[in-house]
């Protein structure tokens, strides 16, 4: 099932997503129950929910359709609720009334080892709210990849994490297995198939940025500075491990104004 959301009389959808992907789940993993204040899953089949707030000014339309390649129809029950003039608060900061939710999406993009992938790119001011990363690769060395943010015209990034699992509030290649915290989780892991998905919610540790440029990226594996030994200190240097080609899907939900 695929959802489309149209805002303010638009003729093309502003957002297109599957219920699983909206709820931070990759590869159709049906493990349940789990949940937090934003997303979760309460039934073995279906039962996903999302309390992502979508601001609009002049109408909102939800549509659902079967996914391409579906050979039969199905039955779906979905509840959609809203409140007029309800402010959006991230952390303890109330967002401007002009804030709009933007979805930046990569769908099954094939990355070479050490290749960068743009997660979000804007010249507006805003705040990153939620990120989903789903990866299929032949080993886990892509997890050495760091999250970086470039602001304004700077060519020097701010390191958001010094490894993929660090960003999702874990360590050592997610060696404790799947988990669900209030602000992050590992929603899927299958070492035999080489698949993994994780989500991060910036509700209580907001990632704000100013107008003038924000470029948010992730790397398929990473490098180590030969002098300092620091990882992700620059784009060059010896490769950490042996990352392979990876097929990657990302969702990055950003409020902008």
């Amino acid at each position: 099932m695929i959802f489309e959301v149209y805002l303010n009389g638009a003729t093309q959808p502003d957002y297109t997503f599957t219920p699983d992907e909206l709820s931070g789940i990759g590869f159709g993993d049906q493990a349940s129950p789990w949940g937090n204040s934003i997303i979760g899953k309460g039934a073995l089949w279906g039962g996903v929910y999302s309390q992502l707030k979508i601001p609009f000014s002049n109408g909102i339309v939800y549509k659902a359709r079967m996914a391409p390649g579906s050979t039969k129809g199905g039955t779906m029950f979905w509840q959609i609720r809203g409140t007029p003039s309800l402010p959006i608060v991230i952390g303890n900061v109330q967002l401007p009334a002009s804030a709009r939710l933007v979805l930046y999406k990569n769908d099954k993009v094939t990355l070479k080892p050490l290749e960068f992938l743009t997660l979000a790119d804007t010249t507006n001011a805003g705040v990153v709210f939620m990120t989903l990363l789903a990866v299929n690769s032949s080993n886990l060395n892509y997890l050495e990849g760091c999250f970086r943010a470039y602001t304004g015209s700077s060519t020097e990034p701010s390191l958001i994490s010094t490894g993929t699992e660090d960003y999702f509030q874990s360590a050592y290649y997610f060696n404790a297995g799947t988990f669900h915290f209030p602000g992050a989780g590992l929603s899927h892991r299958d070492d035999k198939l080489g698949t993994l998905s994780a989500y991060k919610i910036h509700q209580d540790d907001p990632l704000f940025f100013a107008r003038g440029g924000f470029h948010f990226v992730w790397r398929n594996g990473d490098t180590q500075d030969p002098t300092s030994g620091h990882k992700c200190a620059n784009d060059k240097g010896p490769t950490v491990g042996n990352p392979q080609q990876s097929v990657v899907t990302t969702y990055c939900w950003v409020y902008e104004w």
Side-chain angles (χ1 to χ4, degrees), residues 40-51:
K41 181 170 168 46
L44 182 59
W45 299 105
V48 296
Y49 69 84
S50 171
Q51 300 190 129

Side-chain angles (χ1 to χ4, degrees), residues 88-96 99 122 124-129 149-152 158 160 202-211 213-216 254-257:
I88 296 175
V89 178
I90 307 297
N92 294 319
V93 180
Q94 181 173 321
L95 302 190
T122 180
N124 295 323
V127 57
V128 176
F129 182 70
Y150 298 81
T151 56
S158 297
I160 306 303
H202 287 278
Q203 176 64 46
D204 295 319
D205 61 340
L207 182 56
F208 282 94
F209 52 89
R211 184 178 298 277
F214 177 75
H215 186 61
F216 189 31
V254 181
Y255 289 103
E256 297 182 11
W257 55 88

Side-chain angles (χ1 to χ4, degrees), residues 34-225:
W34 62 269
N36 54 47
S37 64
I38 305 297
I39 57 175
K41 181 170 168 46
L44 182 59
W45 299 105
V48 296
Y49 69 84
S50 171
Q51 300 190 129
L52 184 68
K53 295 179 175 66
I54 301 177
F56 62 93
S57 59
N58 187 29
I60 183 169
V61 175
Y62 281 80
K63 295 183 179 181
R65 58 182 172 83
M66 300 304 296
S70 298
T71 57
K72 61 180 181 179
T75 301
M76 178 189 66
F77 298 92
W78 198 263
Q79 300 178 42
I80 300 171
R81 299 188 181 97
T83 303
S85 304
L86 185 69
I88 296 175
V89 178
I90 307 297
N92 294 319
V93 180
Q94 181 173 321
L95 302 190
S98 60
R100 293 295 177 262
L101 184 63
V102 179
L103 172 59
Y104 295 92
K105 181 177 176 181
N106 294 290
D107 189 15
K108 297 179 181 178
V109 175
T110 299
L111 298 180
K112 299 176 182 178
L114 302 183
E115 187 173 357
F116 286 93
L117 181 66
T118 296
L119 306 178
D121 189 27
T122 180
T123 58
N124 295 323
V127 57
V128 176
F129 182 70
M130 187 167 74
T131 306
L132 164 70
L133 175 72
V135 183
N136 187 349
S137 194
S138 60
N139 70 36
L140 293 176
N141 289 159
Y142 65 85
L143 291 173
E144 298 291 347
C146 299
F147 286 82
R148 296 166 167 87
Y150 298 81
T151 56
S153 59
S154 175
T155 58
E156 292 295 324
S158 297
L159 281 182
I160 306 303
S161 77
T162 55
T164 299
E165 72 273 35
D166 303 359
Y167 176 70
F168 298 105
Q169 297 178 206
S170 187
Y172 297 103
Y173 283 21
F174 295 110
N175 65 356
T178 57
F179 64 91
H180 299 281
F181 295 155
L186 179 67
S187 55
H188 170 82
R189 178 171 179 169
D190 188 324
D191 290 346
K192 290 183 179 180
L193 296 177
T195 54
L196 179 150
S197 69
Y199 61 86
K200 170 66 178 174
I201 302 169
H202 287 278
Q203 176 64 46
D204 295 319
D205 61 340
L207 182 56
F208 282 94
F209 52 89
R211 184 178 298 277
F214 177 75
H215 186 61
F216 189 31
V217 300
W218 174 77
R219 197 178 193 186
N220 181 33
D222 229 301
T223 58
Q224 189 171 29
D225 187 278

